[in-house]
Amino acid sequence: MAGGVALVIGGGPAGLMAAGEIARAGHKVILAEAKPTLARKFLMAGKSGLNLTRDEGMDAYRARFTGPVVARAVADFGPAEVMDFARALGVELFTGTTGRVFPREMKASPMLRAWIARLSEAGVGIRTRWRWTGLRKGRQFLFDTPEGAVTLTPEVTVLALGGASWPRLGSDAAWVPMLTAEGVEIAPFRPANMGFSIDWSAHMTPFFGQPVKGVALVTATRRTRGEFVISERGLEGGGIYAVSAELRDGSPLALDLVPDLSIEAVAHKIGRISPRESQSNRLRKALRLDPVRLALVKEWGRPLPAGAEALARRIKALPVPLGAPRPLAEAISAAGGITQTALSEDLELTALPGIFAAGEMLDWEAPTGGYLISGCLATGRLAGRAAAAKMGL
């Protein structure tokens, strides 16, 4: 097959978005997906409610994304545009108190069904179980399909194959050697939005699965409120994910277990309790620490200082002995991928003219909370529009 056809490889949000943009411009599109069904990671994200985007000011929103190319994409397709896109698919939305935007149904599947139906109506040819296996002469795409080997020579191509996190859902980075062989610069993948290993003592076993609430996480550069979970493997959850990039890159972590009180106020409260009481009782009575926070004090704070002020300082800056980041296969997303220097402003691969890339294939990071999905939608839209423009009218 040659000329006149656009090829999109990858059936996640970035690929679906790119395919829709190209079809809307009046071009024929083939969408190839290696898995039996589309958007598996999107559906998995929807199990916890599908946080589509974050309704906030554009300056704060853009600051959440690394990389100038992705920043440009989200500037053109920000929270308002993401919400309009979802509503156009018939999805009713609501915004939570923190600005997080969700479908009213708290599910991804209705939105995905409507999205696929729209693409089919636009003439997008969806091919599942089509695994990309090779690239010849920078233009011929080889696939392993249920009908055997297939070769396509499209006019333009958008690659949206995901990064290297959650490989069981399709993002296995099998594309890396194929693009590297063609001279595309790719930064090594590293886990992002991930937990960290902790070498727990036996006394922490009863607390596995328990949330830690009402604390502040303090890194080398910032202080943020957040909730996380104690697991058998270590620390996980949104509060940890929010600072995970900095921790991965070497920042220490401390916990402020009573962030609404000053050191002086904490010391005063502790000082009012008789020193004849055990340290645990003094902290429980003075500060009303719940069992989980008390357990963390015993785990990481010993030997506890005897003086009220020194003990207050320990409670306000409890050091966390982080182990290694959890591996890529467990991470929500990945840093690394196709570098900014390997791309044009329109996400075209400079080493492979006519081939564009979008989504988690690109080297960018953003926290959880709607930013990852929004970034994939925005880059898919940008790549799709640029590919359509290259095809002409």
Side-chain angles (χ1 to χ4, degrees), residues 3-160:
V5 176
L7 172 65
V8 176
I9 308 179
L16 297 177
M17 200 72 177
E21 291 295 327
I22 299 170
R24 194 163 64 87
H27 304 294
K28 183 177 179 180
V29 184
I30 292 176
L31 172 63
E33 165 59 43
K35 294 293 186 179
T37 55
L38 301 177
R40 289 193 169 194
K41 192 173 180 182
F42 181 74
L43 290 172
M44 180 64 76
K47 287 189 174 182
S48 58
L50 190 63
N51 186 183
L52 275 175
T53 192
R54 185 70 69 98
D55 190 4
E56 62 186 357
M58 185 54 75
D59 287 345
Y61 180 77
R62 287 183 65 180
R64 302 285 191 167
F65 299 85
T66 63
V69 175
V70 175
R72 174 172 174 250
V74 299
D76 290 338
F77 195 76
E81 290 77 16
V82 171
M83 289 187 278
D84 288 344
F85 174 76
R87 292 188 184 107
L89 291 173
V91 179
E92 186 179 352
L93 304 173
F94 76 93
T95 302
T97 56
T98 61
R100 297 185 182 212
V101 179
F102 300 87
R104 182 70 62 182
E105 293 183 86
M106 295 295 285
K107 295 179 181 177
S109 51
M111 179 174 173
L112 181 60
R113 285 195 297 269
W115 199 352
I116 293 172
R118 173 179 287 185
L119 293 176
S120 297
E121 290 169 3
V124 175
I126 297 173
R127 309 285 191 267
T128 56
R129 296 187 174 89
W130 274 41
R131 178 171 293 279
W132 180 33
T133 58
L135 181 63
R136 290 179 186 160
K137 301 178 181 178
R139 292 198 61 205
Q140 296 178 336
F141 290 81
L142 284 61
F143 292 90
D144 181 15
T145 81
E147 292 75 36
V150 172
T151 300
L152 301 182
T153 309
E155 186 173 342
V156 296
T157 300
V158 177
L159 303 177

Side-chain angles (χ1 to χ4, degrees), residues 200-337:
W200 298 114
S201 66
H203 103 92
M204 289 299 296
T205 301
F207 299 97
F208 292 164
Q210 294 294 309
V212 180
K213 301 180 180 181
V215 303
L217 297 93
V218 183
T219 68
T221 63
R222 58 177 170 151
R223 172 189 177 90
T224 181
R225 300 287 283 264
E227 181 178 327
F228 57 90
V229 175
I230 296 171
S231 76
E232 182 177 1
R233 297 174 297 189
L235 301 180
E236 303 175 5
I240 291 293
Y241 301 157
V243 295
S244 61
E246 189 174 352
L247 301 180
R248 179 198 62 211
D249 294 341
S251 169
L253 174 66
L255 298 181
D256 182 347
L257 300 180
V258 282
D260 294 325
L261 297 175
S262 67
I263 291 175
E264 293 75 18
V266 173
H268 177 71
K269 287 178 176 289
I270 293 173
R272 294 170 59 185
I273 308 299
S274 171
R276 296 178 183 177
E277 297 266 11
S278 70
Q279 293 287 55
S280 293
N281 280 339
R282 293 181 78 193
L283 294 175
R284 179 176 55 80
K285 291 179 179 180
L287 304 175
R288 297 181 181 178
L289 293 184
D290 55 44
V292 174
R293 285 182 289 173
L294 276 174
L296 292 178
V297 172
K298 294 176 183 179
E299 181 74 1
W300 296 331
R302 289 177 172 171
L304 292 175
E309 183 175 345
L311 186 54
R313 292 185 181 279
R314 183 70 52 86
I315 297 302
K316 292 287 290 179
L318 184 66
V320 180
L322 289 176
R326 298 303 301 169
L328 265 172
E330 298 176 15
I332 291 176
S333 60

Side-chain angles (χ1 to χ4, degrees), residues 365-384:
E365 286 188 76
T368 57
Y371 303 107
L372 292 169
I373 291 176
S374 290
C376 288
L377 294 174
T379 55
R381 174 180 177 270
L382 176 59

